[in-house]
């Protein structure tokens, strides 16, 4: 399951309708909303997956059965055995339990954006900066820029408001 995360700033009926249009053909796994502090403005975070991708994958995988499992098992090749890459250690953030959902939401968002941009996630910001982002919960662009100093000006311009929306939506829900 390849979850994607999208945030919306809802300020009027048109932006509310845009959310409905966006959700057509998508399967929502999680959503949360929070008042942004501006009169009549809400931030909405949606974790979703494309229904057609899921259907295509199911069709493609149907009937493979044991063939896929056989490819994943090490094979004997004469006197040597096929080597697997060592398992990657997952970063464990040093955060209170109530901040872990926000950390995961932002991490997944960062990874999705990195995939779309065809870059490594740390190019946007690294795991330490992600932890600092969740701990400090910046409320404006200057404090966000101070925490995510590695993000390029182009990426900051493109994704800064969306990232602030994620933080504010998660901060309100966690409180």
């Amino acid at each position: 399951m390849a979850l994607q995360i999208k945030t919306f700033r809802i300020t009027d009926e048109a932006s509310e309708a845009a959310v409905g249009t966006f959700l057509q053909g998508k399967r929502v796994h999680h959503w949360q909303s929070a008042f942004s502090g501006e009169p009549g403005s809400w931030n909405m975070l949606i974790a979703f997956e494309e229904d057609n991708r899921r259907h295509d994958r199911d069709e493609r995988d149907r009937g493979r059965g044991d063939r896929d499992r056989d490819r994943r098992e090490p094979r004997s090749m004469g006197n040597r055995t096929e080597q697997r890459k060592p398992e990657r250690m997952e970063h464990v953030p040093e955060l209170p339990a109530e901040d872990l959902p926000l950390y995961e939401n932002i991490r997944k968002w960062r990874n999705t954006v990195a995939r779309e941009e065809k870059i490594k996630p740390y190019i946007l910001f690294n795991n330490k900066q992600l932890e600092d982002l969740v701990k400090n919960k910046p409320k404006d662009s200057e404090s966000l820029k101070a925490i995510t100093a590695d993000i390029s000006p182009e990426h900051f311009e493109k994704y800064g408001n969306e990232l602030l929306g994620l933080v504010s939506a998660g901060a309100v829900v966690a409180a």
Side-chain angles (χ1 to χ4, degrees), residues 120-133:
K120 298 285 185 187
Y122 65 82
I123 299 295
L124 294 171
F125 47 88
N126 62 38
N127 288 338
K128 176 67 175 128
Q129 290 168 326
L130 175 55
E131 275 185 52
D132 290 344
L133 188 67

Side-chain angles (χ1 to χ4, degrees), residues 151-168:
I151 195 168
S152 72
E154 296 83 23
H155 286 127
F156 190 83
E157 180 70 27
K158 191 172 182 180
Y159 300 112
N161 286 336
E162 192 171 353
L163 186 53
L164 280 172
L166 280 168
V167 171
S168 70

Side-chain angles (χ1 to χ4, degrees), residues 49-91:
E49 75 177 314
E50 301 283 341
D51 273 345
N52 60 351
R53 288 184 187 171
R54 182 171 175 243
H55 180 266
D56 292 346
R57 186 177 64 237
D58 291 346
E59 288 294 317
R60 190 175 60 243
D61 290 345
R62 188 172 291 133
R64 285 188 178 171
D66 293 337
R67 288 182 295 160
D68 284 342
R69 191 188 73 236
D70 292 342
R71 272 190 247 144
R72 290 187 298 265
E73 294 173 355
R75 295 179 296 213
S76 176
M77 299 183 300
N79 291 336
R80 59 190 181 126
T81 301
E82 178 182 342
Q83 297 295 314
R84 288 190 176 178
K85 289 183 180 178
E87 288 189 32
R88 211 170 52 140
M89 296 291 292
E90 284 293 318
H91 175 74

Side-chain angles (χ1 to χ4, degrees), residues 88-101:
R88 211 170 52 140
M89 296 291 292
E90 284 293 318
H91 175 74
V92 179
E94 296 178 19
L95 294 167
E98 62 269 7
D99 284 341
L100 291 177

